[in-house]
Amino acid sequence: MERSEIPIREAAVEDAAAIARLLHDFNLEFEAETPGVEELTRHAERMLGAGEMTVLLAGEPPLGLALLRFRSSVWTEKREAYLQEFYVVPARRGEGIGEALLEAAIERCREEGAAWVELNTAESDVAARSLYRKLGFTNEEGPDGAAMLYYEREL
């Protein structure tokens, strides 16, 4: 499938169940806890309705998603973008869906006036890391090229 043939659209509240299913499947694939499709659907409905997240969906029915969060920046008048979740169903990987979806997400960040977009991923997710590098993402900072690290703590 050519990238130009992959339909990508912004999700609406009505897409909450499809988003929830993709997020649930993503967590199951990577053996992470998931609150389940029903609860994820409620969260997606609330957050989409409140404008707290932007979700781009690839394909019909949706075969992948890019979930973006935008916030003000202390460093610039522009906004910051966070690619919180990025997923393509396993059976459809390698068809250009992920690249088209990530390019659309980057463009959406530009449209929102973001100065940059950041994300995190597992070191073991080699395919995603390769795609991120291909589209210009880096995990190095400063002139010495030291690796940037992501830390998290549950509260």
Side-chain angles (χ1 to χ4, degrees), residues 81-97:
Y82 174 46
L83 180 61
Q84 186 169 359
E85 303 295 346
F86 182 75
Y87 181 67
V88 174
V89 298
R92 301 300 298 271
R93 293 179 187 156
E95 297 179 23
I97 294 168

Side-chain angles (χ1 to χ4, degrees), residues 68-124:
L68 296 160
R69 308 285 304 273
F70 296 97
R71 62 184 177 247
S72 298
S73 173
V74 69
W75 304 109
T76 177
E77 295 296 319
K78 292 187 171 195
R79 301 175 84 191
E80 299 173 355
Y82 174 46
L83 180 61
Q84 186 169 359
E85 303 295 346
F86 182 75
Y87 181 67
V88 174
V89 298
R92 301 300 298 271
R93 293 179 187 156
E95 297 179 23
I97 294 168
E99 186 170 347
L101 187 56
L102 189 53
E103 286 176 340
I106 292 167
E107 183 56 33
R108 184 71 167 103
C109 292
R110 286 187 183 113
E111 291 168 2
E112 285 289 324
W116 62 82
V117 58
E118 57 191 19
L119 59 87
N120 62 71
T121 191
E123 187 175 11
S124 61

